[in-house]
């Protein structure tokens, strides 16, 4: 089937988590490099189409999808959003004794992507996370701007983890972005501030990239990380 902005087909058989092959019916209108969206609701997920026979995905599926589930392939360009650095400041202390052991849960509002940062033991009120080049996700360019939900958590050993606060930012189409938001607790109390550094890269279709060419998203993230590291070094030298 062909829609105004996407083409679609349906699964012939069940797909389990970890699969990179979708057994589908008609895929004649699909193109390599498309963003392929599977399912609906909380288990909807997106991947880049790498090849055919039936549909081959660049990354493995995260959820189970039953036979008959709709598959959508979006015609417009895919973009990669890569997280580079996240800084949390003035986090509200939710520990009874001691300081927070914070971590973050980041998720797109449509549930197509989610990641959880490492726990920083004894991190307290002011912490930061530096990400490697694998912390990234693909979206349809027309989906931007898109809401990214942020939940700051405190890790506990003998009871359920505590929510420090929640907030959200709007991811734009700009190449390099620094997004800042305040987070709030369940009673509306101010619980800190989160700053995200990320890179948005418009992708070429897979078929257009020579196999020997380094990925453009990896290069962009590397340059951004180097800039942040240089800035931190200069700051440290001034304070010394």
């Amino acid at each position: 089937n062909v829609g105004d902005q996407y083409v679609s087909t349906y699964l012939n058989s069940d797909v389990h988590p970890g699969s990179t092959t979708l057994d589908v019916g008609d895929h004649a209108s699909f193109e390599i490099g498309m963003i392929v969206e599977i399912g609906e609701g909380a288990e909807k997920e997106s991947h880049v189409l790498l090849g055919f026979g039936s549909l081959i995905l660049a990354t493995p599926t995260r959820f189970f999808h039953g036979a008959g589930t709709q598959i959508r392939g979006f015609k417009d360009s895919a973009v990669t959003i890569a997280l580079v650095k996240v800084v949390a400041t003035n986090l509200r202390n939710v520990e009874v004794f001691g300081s927070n052991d914070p971590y973050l849960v980041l998720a797109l509002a449509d549930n197509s992507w989610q990641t959880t940062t490492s726990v920083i033991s004894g991190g307290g009120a002011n912490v930061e996370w530096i990400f490697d080049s694998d912390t990234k996700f693909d979206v349809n360019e027309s989906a931007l701007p898109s809401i990214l939900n942020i939940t700051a958590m405190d890790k506990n050993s003998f009871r359920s983890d505590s929510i420090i606060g929640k907030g959200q930012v709007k991811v734009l189409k700009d190449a390099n972005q620094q997004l800042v938001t305040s987070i709030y607790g369940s009673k509306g109390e101010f619980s800190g501030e989160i700053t995200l550094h990320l890179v948005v890269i418009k992708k070429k279709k897979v078929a257009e990239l020579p196999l020997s060419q380094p990925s453009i998203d990896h290069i962009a993230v590397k340059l951004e990380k180097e800039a942040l590291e240089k800035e931190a070094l200069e700051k440290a030298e001034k304070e010394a």
Side-chain angles (χ1 to χ4, degrees):
N1 297 328
V2 181
D4 291 337
Q5 295 189 16
Y6 64 86
V7 296
S8 68
T9 187
Y10 295 88
L11 286 175
N12 286 334
S13 57
D14 295 346
V15 171
H16 295 272
S19 176
T20 55
T21 302
L22 306 180
D23 177 19
V24 300
D26 178 25
H27 59 71
S29 299
F30 284 75
E31 299 177 7
I32 289 175
M34 273 184 166
I35 287 289
V36 174
E37 191 175 82
I38 312 168
E40 300 286 350
E43 295 186 347
K44 180 171 69 175
E45 55 184 302
S46 300
H47 302 270
V48 173
L49 180 59
L50 189 64
F52 297 105
S54 290
L55 298 180
I56 308 244
L57 308 178
T59 50
T61 54
R62 296 166 50 221
F63 303 111
F64 170 83
H65 302 282
T69 298
Q70 186 182 35
I71 309 297
R72 294 169 294 278
F74 289 87
K75 297 177 183 178
D76 57 349
S77 301
V79 296
T80 291
I81 300 174
L83 287 171
V84 178
K85 178 181 178 180
V86 179
V87 179
T89 55
N90 300 315
L91 293 178
R92 178 171 59 95
N93 190 7
V94 296
E95 286 282 357
V96 177
F97 301 103
S99 56
N100 290 331
D101 303 311
Y103 66 95
L104 300 179
V105 179
L106 308 173
L108 285 177
D110 67 358
N111 295 306
S112 61
W113 179 86
Q114 177 176 307
T115 191
T116 301
T117 70
S118 60
V119 176
I120 300 183
S121 181
N126 302 297
V127 293
E128 68 176 43
W129 293 265
I130 302 292
F131 298 93
D132 60 32
S133 60
D134 292 327
T135 310
K136 59 194 177 190
F137 52 99
D138 294 309
V139 299
N140 211 35
E141 188 174 18
S142 63
L144 297 179
S146 185
I147 298 298
L148 183 67
N149 293 319
I150 303 167
T151 304
M153 302 289 296
D154 173 52
K155 185 69 176 178
N156 295 309
S157 299
F158 303 107
R159 55 190 174 90
S160 299
D161 294 353
S162 303
I163 295 176
I164 299 172
K166 296 182 178 183
Q168 57 182 211
V169 294
K170 183 179 288 187
V171 180
L172 307 174
K173 293 185 178 182
D174 302 340
N176 295 288
Q177 300 178 48
Q178 178 175 308
L179 307 174
V180 182
T181 186
S182 296
I183 59 173
Y184 297 90
S186 59
K187 298 180 180 179
E189 66 274 37
F190 175 77
S191 298
E193 188 172 88
I194 307 294
T195 302
L196 293 93
H197 300 263
L198 53 84
V199 178
V200 176
I201 312 103
K202 187 171 181 179
K203 295 170 71 70
K204 290 184 177 180
K205 291 184 177 181
V206 177
E208 297 174 354
L209 292 175
L211 294 178
S212 60
Q213 179 178 327
S215 64
I216 55 174
D217 50 324
H218 177 81
I219 294 171
V221 172
K222 182 174 183 293
L223 291 173
E224 179 71 6
K225 287 182 70 174
E226 289 176 352
L228 288 170
E229 290 168 356
K230 181 180 179 181
E231 179 184 329
L233 180 60
E234 290 175 349
K235 183 179 178 181
E237 290 176 346
K238 288 180 181 178
E239 293 176 350

